[in-house]
Amino acid sequence: MIDQPKIAKASKFRKIRTSAAVMLSALCLVGMTSCEDEDDDPIVDSYNQQDRNFAVSSSENINAQISFGQLALDNGEDDSVIEYATMLVSENTDSKTELEGIVDGTDVEISDGITEAMQAKYDELALLSGEDFDMAFIDFQIEALDNSMSIYENEEDNGENFTLKGFAEKTLGKVKDQKKEAVLVKAEIELEGV
């Protein structure tokens, strides 16, 4: 015959033992994390020179991408280029807003402009339209996005500020996606031209 009180008592004992093990684990975890060096805390309120350089170069890059996207909306012909340009403007406008929010209230400066090299390429592309523009624009995008990746990777590797490094990681993901999309757009344009 089954002894119900014994089973209930054993079940209660298992619950107490499990609860005690969970509590002990939690205490050990808290104890281990409280013993970490203070140097291990994420740096969110100071910026090294890499962070400062990144803020400027990233903002110039984002501004350039918005400008090139707007130019493609004006001068592009192919639907895939127009769609790509719309995405480029939207995503980079979001990134610009996010970067502005990160540095707002700090002594870190960002740029409102683009580099001289980017301006020269913009001026060159602005002279084109239609199919000529579409191919030149998308070829440039693939090259420019490759170069952009190094800006964000460098911040991930050498930056100090936790928030800027997080922004770099997030934006690098966008840049990689934009490049993949640019490669697809180029393939579409080439197929249409055959």
Side-chain angles (χ1 to χ4, degrees):
M1 178 157 38
I2 300 176
D3 188 358
Q4 293 295 334
K6 261 188 176 176
I7 292 175
K9 187 176 180 181
S11 177
K12 186 176 179 182
F13 178 73
R14 273 194 300 276
K15 287 180 185 178
I16 291 171
R17 190 175 64 201
T18 303
S19 296
V22 170
M23 292 284 287
L24 182 60
S25 296
L27 288 172
C28 288
L29 185 60
V30 168
M32 288 180 354
T33 58
S34 67
C35 291
E36 289 180 6
D37 292 341
E38 288 187 23
D39 293 342
D40 291 343
D41 291 340
I43 298 171
V44 294
D45 58 357
S46 66
Y47 304 87
N48 66 10
Q49 192 57 49
Q50 164 59 35
D51 294 328
R52 294 173 189 285
N53 293 343
F54 168 73
V56 171
S57 59
S58 178
S59 60
E60 289 173 336
N61 183 65
I62 290 168
N63 292 336
Q65 289 294 58
I66 293 170
S67 296
F68 284 111
Q70 284 297 141
L71 181 62
L73 291 172
D74 294 339
N75 292 15
E77 181 177 278
D78 192 280
D79 288 343
S80 60
V81 169
I82 302 299
E83 186 177 314
Y84 178 82
T86 302
M87 178 267 303
L88 201 62
V89 170
S90 175
E91 288 187 1
N92 281 282
T93 300
D94 290 347
S95 293
K96 181 177 181 174
T97 301
E98 185 177 353
L99 182 59
E100 288 170 342
I102 290 169
V103 301
D104 187 40
T106 71
D107 64 347
V108 176
E109 295 183 20
I110 59 175
S111 175
D112 290 332
I114 64 176
T115 65
E116 288 181 21
M118 287 290 194
Q119 185 62 55
K121 190 62 181 181
Y122 179 92
D123 294 342
E124 180 185 317
L125 287 173
L127 299 174
L128 303 174
S129 62
E131 291 177 13
D132 293 335
F133 174 85
D134 289 342
M135 189 52 85
F137 166 74
I138 211 67
D139 281 340
F140 170 70
Q141 273 299 300
I142 292 169
E143 179 186 324
L145 291 167
D146 274 339
N147 295 334
S148 295
M149 285 183 211
S150 65
I151 294 170
Y152 300 103
E153 290 167 342
N154 191 32
E155 176 63 12
E156 284 184 313
D157 294 341
N158 302 308
E160 178 178 88
N161 184 274
F162 183 74
T163 308
L164 277 178
K165 287 175 68 122
F167 172 78
E169 181 181 351
K170 178 180 178 182
T171 308
L172 177 60
K174 286 183 183 181
V175 170
K176 287 179 178 179
D177 289 345
Q178 290 167 5
K179 183 186 175 199
K180 286 178 191 172
E181 189 64 30
V183 170
L184 291 174
V185 169
K186 180 177 180 173
E188 286 180 36
I189 294 170
E190 288 174 343
L191 280 174
E192 289 170 5
V194 171

PDB file of all heavy atoms in Angstrom, residues 53-77:
ATOM      1  N   ASN A  53      37.117  60.221 -33.524  1.00  0.00           N
ATOM      2  CA  ASN A  53      37.349  60.112 -34.969  1.00  0.00           C
ATOM      3  C   ASN A  53      36.204  59.357 -35.642  1.00  0.00           C
ATOM      4  O   ASN A  53      35.765  59.716 -36.735  1.00  0.00           O
ATOM      5  CB  ASN A  53      38.672  59.388 -35.250  1.00  0.00           C
ATOM      6  CG  ASN A  53      39.875  60.181 -34.799  1.00  0.00           C
ATOM      7  OD1 ASN A  53      39.806  61.386 -34.548  1.00  0.00           O
ATOM      8  ND2 ASN A  53      40.999  59.505 -34.666  1.00  0.00           N
ATOM      9  N   PHE A  54      35.741  58.309 -34.974  1.00  0.00           N
ATOM     10  CA  PHE A  54      34.643  57.516 -35.517  1.00  0.00           C
ATOM     11  C   PHE A  54      33.377  58.362 -35.664  1.00  0.00           C
ATOM     12  O   PHE A  54      32.682  58.267 -36.678  1.00  0.00           O
ATOM     13  CB  PHE A  54      34.356  56.312 -34.618  1.00  0.00           C
ATOM     14  CG  PHE A  54      33.065  55.629 -34.948  1.00  0.00           C
ATOM     15  CD1 PHE A  54      32.945  54.850 -36.091  1.00  0.00           C
ATOM     16  CD2 PHE A  54      31.955  55.771 -34.124  1.00  0.00           C
ATOM     17  CE1 PHE A  54      31.737  54.228 -36.409  1.00  0.00           C
ATOM     18  CE2 PHE A  54      30.755  55.150 -34.438  1.00  0.00           C
ATOM     19  CZ  PHE A  54      30.644  54.380 -35.579  1.00  0.00           C
ATOM     20  N   ALA A  55      33.064  59.165 -34.668  1.00  0.00           N
ATOM     21  CA  ALA A  55      31.848  59.986 -34.722  1.00  0.00           C
ATOM     22  C   ALA A  55      31.866  60.901 -35.945  1.00  0.00           C
ATOM     23  O   ALA A  55      30.852  61.041 -36.644  1.00  0.00           O
ATOM     24  CB  ALA A  55      31.689  60.794 -33.441  1.00  0.00           C
ATOM     25  N   VAL A  56      33.030  61.486 -36.234  1.00  0.00           N
ATOM     26  CA  VAL A  56      33.139  62.375 -37.396  1.00  0.00           C
ATOM     27  C   VAL A  56      33.054  61.575 -38.696  1.00  0.00           C
ATOM     28  O   VAL A  56      32.266  61.886 -39.588  1.00  0.00           O
ATOM     29  CB  VAL A  56      34.445  63.200 -37.341  1.00  0.00           C
ATOM     30  CG1 VAL A  56      34.662  63.958 -38.644  1.00  0.00           C
ATOM     31  CG2 VAL A  56      34.415  64.163 -36.169  1.00  0.00           C
ATOM     32  N   SER A  57      33.867  60.512 -38.821  1.00  0.00           N
ATOM     33  CA  SER A  57      33.890  59.763 -40.082  1.00  0.00           C
ATOM     34  C   SER A  57      32.562  59.041 -40.331  1.00  0.00           C
ATOM     35  O   SER A  57      32.095  58.973 -41.473  1.00  0.00           O
ATOM     36  CB  SER A  57      35.063  58.782 -40.125  1.00  0.00           C
ATOM     37  OG  SER A  57      34.994  57.861 -39.073  1.00  0.00           O
ATOM     38  N   SER A  58      31.953  58.534 -39.285  1.00  0.00           N
ATOM     39  CA  SER A  58      30.663  57.873 -39.450  1.00  0.00           C
ATOM     40  C   SER A  58      29.597  58.864 -39.897  1.00  0.00           C
ATOM     41  O   SER A  58      28.804  58.565 -40.791  1.00  0.00           O
ATOM     42  CB  SER A  58      30.246  57.203 -38.138  1.00  0.00           C
ATOM     43  OG  SER A  58      28.987  56.612 -38.273  1.00  0.00           O
ATOM     44  N   SER A  59      29.586  60.037 -39.289  1.00  0.00           N
ATOM     45  CA  SER A  59      28.578  61.032 -39.678  1.00  0.00           C
ATOM     46  C   SER A  59      28.799  61.497 -41.122  1.00  0.00           C
ATOM     47  O   SER A  59      27.826  61.674 -41.870  1.00  0.00           O
ATOM     48  CB  SER A  59      28.577  62.216 -38.715  1.00  0.00           C
ATOM     49  OG  SER A  59      29.827  62.863 -38.676  1.00  0.00           O
ATOM     50  N   GLU A  60      30.055  61.665 -41.535  1.00  0.00           N
ATOM     51  CA  GLU A  60      30.324  62.038 -42.928  1.00  0.00           C
ATOM     52  C   GLU A  60      29.853  60.946 -43.878  1.00  0.00           C
ATOM     53  O   GLU A  60      29.275  61.226 -44.934  1.00  0.00           O
ATOM     54  CB  GLU A  60      31.821  62.296 -43.136  1.00  0.00           C
ATOM     55  CG  GLU A  60      32.310  63.558 -42.486  1.00  0.00           C
ATOM     56  CD  GLU A  60      33.817  63.725 -42.542  1.00  0.00           C
ATOM     57  OE1 GLU A  60      34.550  62.713 -42.661  1.00  0.00           O
ATOM     58  OE2 GLU A  60      34.281  64.887 -42.460  1.00  0.00           O
ATOM     59  N   ASN A  61      30.099  59.708 -43.503  1.00  0.00           N
ATOM     60  CA  ASN A  61      29.682  58.576 -44.323  1.00  0.00           C
ATOM     61  C   ASN A  61      28.155  58.506 -44.435  1.00  0.00           C
ATOM     62  O   ASN A  61      27.611  58.326 -45.530  1.00  0.00           O
ATOM     63  CB  ASN A  61      30.235  57.280 -43.719  1.00  0.00           C
ATOM     64  CG  ASN A  61      29.910  56.080 -44.552  1.00  0.00           C
ATOM     65  OD1 ASN A  61      30.378  55.953 -45.675  1.00  0.00           O
ATOM     66  ND2 ASN A  61      29.088  55.198 -44.011  1.00  0.00           N
ATOM     67  N   ILE A  62      27.481  58.664 -43.307  1.00  0.00           N
ATOM     68  CA  ILE A  62      26.015  58.625 -43.301  1.00  0.00           C
ATOM     69  C   ILE A  62      25.443  59.776 -44.129  1.00  0.00           C
ATOM     70  O   ILE A  62      24.520  59.582 -44.932  1.00  0.00           O
ATOM     71  CB  ILE A  62      25.491  58.651 -41.850  1.00  0.00           C
ATOM     72  CG1 ILE A  62      25.808  57.321 -41.158  1.00  0.00           C
ATOM     73  CG2 ILE A  62      24.001  58.957 -41.806  1.00  0.00           C
ATOM     74  CD1 ILE A  62      25.608  57.341 -39.649  1.00  0.00           C
ATOM     75  N   ASN A  63      26.008  60.978 -43.955  1.00  0.00           N
ATOM     76  CA  ASN A  63      25.543  62.132 -44.735  1.00  0.00           C
ATOM     77  C   ASN A  63      25.725  61.890 -46.235  1.00  0.00           C
ATOM     78  O   ASN A  63      24.861  62.247 -47.040  1.00  0.00           O
ATOM     79  CB  ASN A  63      26.302  63.396 -44.321  1.00  0.00           C
ATOM     80  CG  ASN A  63      25.975  63.840 -42.912  1.00  0.00           C
ATOM     81  OD1 ASN A  63      24.916  63.534 -42.381  1.00  0.00           O
ATOM     82  ND2 ASN A  63      26.899  64.557 -42.293  1.00  0.00           N
ATOM     83  N   ALA A  64      26.859  61.287 -46.594  1.00  0.00           N
ATOM     84  CA  ALA A  64      27.127  60.998 -48.007  1.00  0.00           C
ATOM     85  C   ALA A  64      26.100  60.011 -48.549  1.00  0.00           C
ATOM     86  O   ALA A  64      25.560  60.203 -49.657  1.00  0.00           O
ATOM     87  CB  ALA A  64      28.545  60.451 -48.175  1.00  0.00           C
ATOM     88  N   GLN A  65      25.793  58.979 -47.789  1.00  0.00           N
ATOM     89  CA  GLN A  65      24.841  57.981 -48.258  1.00  0.00           C
ATOM     90  C   GLN A  65      23.450  58.585 -48.443  1.00  0.00           C
ATOM     91  O   GLN A  65      22.735  58.231 -49.382  1.00  0.00           O
ATOM     92  CB  GLN A  65      24.803  56.774 -47.314  1.00  0.00           C
ATOM     93  CG  GLN A  65      26.064  55.923 -47.388  1.00  0.00           C
ATOM     94  CD  GLN A  65      26.218  55.237 -48.735  1.00  0.00           C
ATOM     95  OE1 GLN A  65      26.272  55.857 -49.797  1.00  0.00           O
ATOM     96  NE2 GLN A  65      26.274  53.923 -48.696  1.00  0.00           N
ATOM     97  N   ILE A  66      23.075  59.484 -47.558  1.00  0.00           N
ATOM     98  CA  ILE A  66      21.783  60.171 -47.725  1.00  0.00           C
ATOM     99  C   ILE A  66      21.809  61.000 -49.014  1.00  0.00           C
ATOM    100  O   ILE A  66      20.862  60.965 -49.806  1.00  0.00           O
ATOM    101  CB  ILE A  66      21.462  61.054 -46.495  1.00  0.00           C
ATOM    102  CG1 ILE A  66      21.215  60.170 -45.259  1.00  0.00           C
ATOM    103  CG2 ILE A  66      20.259  61.949 -46.764  1.00  0.00           C
ATOM    104  CD1 ILE A  66      21.136  60.938 -43.942  1.00  0.00           C
ATOM    105  N   SER A  67      22.907  61.722 -49.236  1.00  0.00           N
ATOM    106  CA  SER A  67      23.037  62.551 -50.445  1.00  0.00           C
ATOM    107  C   SER A  67      23.002  61.708 -51.711  1.00  0.00           C
ATOM    108  O   SER A  67      22.319  62.050 -52.686  1.00  0.00           O
ATOM    109  CB  SER A  67      24.339  63.359 -50.398  1.00  0.00           C
ATOM    110  OG  SER A  67      24.328  64.262 -49.332  1.00  0.00           O
ATOM    111  N   PHE A  68      23.748  60.602 -51.705  1.00  0.00           N
ATOM    112  CA  PHE A  68      23.764  59.737 -52.885  1.00  0.00           C
ATOM    113  C   PHE A  68      22.397  59.086 -53.114  1.00  0.00           C
ATOM    114  O   PHE A  68      21.964  58.933 -54.257  1.00  0.00           O
ATOM    115  CB  PHE A  68      24.854  58.662 -52.755  1.00  0.00           C
ATOM    116  CG  PHE A  68      26.237  59.192 -53.006  1.00  0.00           C
ATOM    117  CD1 PHE A  68      27.150  59.287 -51.974  1.00  0.00           C
ATOM    118  CD2 PHE A  68      26.625  59.598 -54.271  1.00  0.00           C
ATOM    119  CE1 PHE A  68      28.421  59.785 -52.192  1.00  0.00           C
ATOM    120  CE2 PHE A  68      27.897  60.096 -54.513  1.00  0.00           C
ATOM    121  CZ  PHE A  68      28.802  60.191 -53.464  1.00  0.00           C
ATOM    122  N   GLY A  69      21.727  58.733 -52.054  1.00  0.00           N
ATOM    123  CA  GLY A  69      20.383  58.178 -52.194  1.00  0.00           C
ATOM    124  C   GLY A  69      19.417  59.184 -52.805  1.00  0.00           C
ATOM    125  O   GLY A  69      18.634  58.846 -53.701  1.00  0.00           O
ATOM    126  N   GLN A  70      19.493  60.423 -52.327  1.00  0.00           N
ATOM    127  CA  GLN A  70      18.634  61.489 -52.885  1.00  0.00           C
ATOM    128  C   GLN A  70      18.947  61.709 -54.362  1.00  0.00           C
ATOM    129  O   GLN A  70      18.034  61.885 -55.179  1.00  0.00           O
ATOM    130  CB  GLN A  70      18.843  62.799 -52.117  1.00  0.00           C
ATOM    131  CG  GLN A  70      18.182  62.851 -50.768  1.00  0.00           C
ATOM    132  CD  GLN A  70      16.665  62.755 -50.837  1.00  0.00           C
ATOM    133  OE1 GLN A  70      16.070  62.108 -50.004  1.00  0.00           O
ATOM    134  NE2 GLN A  70      16.025  63.360 -51.807  1.00  0.00           N
ATOM    135  N   LEU A  71      20.236  61.691 -54.691  1.00  0.00           N
ATOM    136  CA  LEU A  71      20.644  61.866 -56.094  1.00  0.00           C
ATOM    137  C   LEU A  71      20.077  60.738 -56.959  1.00  0.00           C
ATOM    138  O   LEU A  71      19.597  60.976 -58.067  1.00  0.00           O
ATOM    139  CB  LEU A  71      22.172  61.914 -56.192  1.00  0.00           C
ATOM    140  CG  LEU A  71      22.754  62.126 -57.581  1.00  0.00           C
ATOM    141  CD1 LEU A  71      22.317  63.480 -58.148  1.00  0.00           C
ATOM    142  CD2 LEU A  71      24.284  62.028 -57.536  1.00  0.00           C
ATOM    143  N   ALA A  72      20.124  59.522 -56.448  1.00  0.00           N
ATOM    144  CA  ALA A  72      19.590  58.379 -57.193  1.00  0.00           C
ATOM    145  C   ALA A  72      18.077  58.499 -57.382  1.00  0.00           C
ATOM    146  O   ALA A  72      17.543  58.095 -58.421  1.00  0.00           O
ATOM    147  CB  ALA A  72      19.944  57.073 -56.485  1.00  0.00           C
ATOM    148  N   LEU A  73      17.397  59.038 -56.393  1.00  0.00           N
ATOM    149  CA  LEU A  73      15.956  59.256 -56.547  1.00  0.00           C
ATOM    150  C   LEU A  73      15.671  60.272 -57.653  1.00  0.00           C
ATOM    151  O   LEU A  73      14.663  60.165 -58.353  1.00  0.00           O
ATOM    152  CB  LEU A  73      15.337  59.711 -55.224  1.00  0.00           C
ATOM    153  CG  LEU A  73      15.284  58.656 -54.121  1.00  0.00           C
ATOM    154  CD1 LEU A  73      14.825  59.277 -52.802  1.00  0.00           C
ATOM    155  CD2 LEU A  73      14.369  57.501 -54.507  1.00  0.00           C
ATOM    156  N   ASP A  74      16.569  61.247 -57.811  1.00  0.00           N
ATOM    157  CA  ASP A  74      16.395  62.276 -58.835  1.00  0.00           C
ATOM    158  C   ASP A  74      16.861  61.816 -60.219  1.00  0.00           C
ATOM    159  O   ASP A  74      16.223  62.125 -61.222  1.00  0.00           O
ATOM    160  CB  ASP A  74      17.159  63.553 -58.450  1.00  0.00           C
ATOM    161  CG  ASP A  74      16.601  64.229 -57.205  1.00  0.00           C
ATOM    162  OD1 ASP A  74      15.426  63.973 -56.861  1.00  0.00           O
ATOM    163  OD2 ASP A  74      17.348  64.986 -56.559  1.00  0.00           O
ATOM    164  N   ASN A  75      17.991  61.114 -60.289  1.00  0.00           N
ATOM    165  CA  ASN A  75      18.619  60.812 -61.571  1.00  0.00           C
ATOM    166  C   ASN A  75      18.464  59.359 -62.021  1.00  0.00           C
ATOM    167  O   ASN A  75      18.781  59.031 -63.155  1.00  0.00           O
ATOM    168  CB  ASN A  75      20.115  61.138 -61.529  1.00  0.00           C
ATOM    169  CG  ASN A  75      20.386  62.619 -61.414  1.00  0.00           C
ATOM    170  OD1 ASN A  75      19.513  63.395 -61.105  1.00  0.00           O
ATOM    171  ND2 ASN A  75      21.619  63.012 -61.670  1.00  0.00           N
ATOM    172  N   GLY A  76      18.022  58.498 -61.120  1.00  0.00           N
ATOM    173  CA  GLY A  76      17.910  57.086 -61.468  1.00  0.00           C
ATOM    174  C   GLY A  76      16.713  56.800 -62.345  1.00  0.00           C
ATOM    175  O   GLY A  76      15.753  57.574 -62.392  1.00  0.00           O
ATOM    176  N   GLU A  77      16.778  55.664 -63.031  1.00  0.00           N
ATOM    177  CA  GLU A  77      15.703  55.288 -63.937  1.00  0.00           C
ATOM    178  C   GLU A  77      15.112  53.927 -63.575  1.00  0.00           C
ATOM    179  O   GLU A  77      13.900  53.756 -63.567  1.00  0.00           O
ATOM    180  CB  GLU A  77      16.243  55.261 -65.365  1.00  0.00           C
ATOM    181  CG  GLU A  77      15.229  54.909 -66.410  1.00  0.00           C
ATOM    182  CD  GLU A  77      15.822  54.966 -67.804  1.00  0.00           C
ATOM    183  OE1 GLU A  77      15.908  56.075 -68.360  1.00  0.00           O
ATOM    184  OE2 GLU A  77      16.215  53.900 -68.317  1.00  0.00           O
TER     185      GLU A  77
END
